[in-house]
Amino acid sequence: MNFRPSHGVRKSQERRIWIKRVTVALPLLCLLIFGVVIGARLSSNSTGASAASLVSLPGHVPSLVKKSNLVGAVNPNQSLSLSIGLKL
């Protein structure tokens, strides 16, 4: 004997399955969108400043640099590594 649920029972089972899928899929979709938005915001804030926008701060030159003497010409393509601390 082959038992087949009636049309109404089958429809309610399909509805429960659909609700379970939506219950799982909707929070996952929200997390995905949230992650993309946060990632985009963080990556746009990490752009480097161009040389035209750099500003020297008066009164913030270390004493060693104030007393330094010019030794000679420097390669203009040489890169420098700087560490800067700012008070928040």
Side-chain angles (χ1 to χ4, degrees):
M1 185 163 151
N2 193 1
F3 175 73
R4 293 185 63 188
S6 67
H7 181 66
V9 172
R10 189 173 52 200
K11 197 161 188 110
S12 68
Q13 287 175 345
E14 289 174 0
R15 183 176 173 90
R16 275 190 232 124
I17 291 171
W18 184 84
I19 289 173
K20 285 181 183 179
R21 286 181 183 165
V22 168
T23 303
V24 171
L26 188 61
L28 289 176
L29 180 63
C30 290
L31 282 173
L32 178 68
I33 292 171
F34 182 72
V36 168
V37 169
I38 294 298
R41 297 281 289 173
L42 290 176
S43 67
S44 67
N45 288 341
S46 65
T47 57
S50 66
S53 68
L54 298 179
V55 177
S56 66
L57 301 173
H60 288 83
V61 179
S63 60
L64 180 64
V65 176
K66 285 182 183 178
K67 299 175 187 175
S68 65
N69 294 323
L70 181 62
V71 175
V74 178
N75 180 1
N77 295 322
Q78 179 182 4
S79 63
L80 299 176
S81 297
L82 301 176
S83 176
I84 301 172
L86 300 174
K87 291 183 182 179
L88 298 176

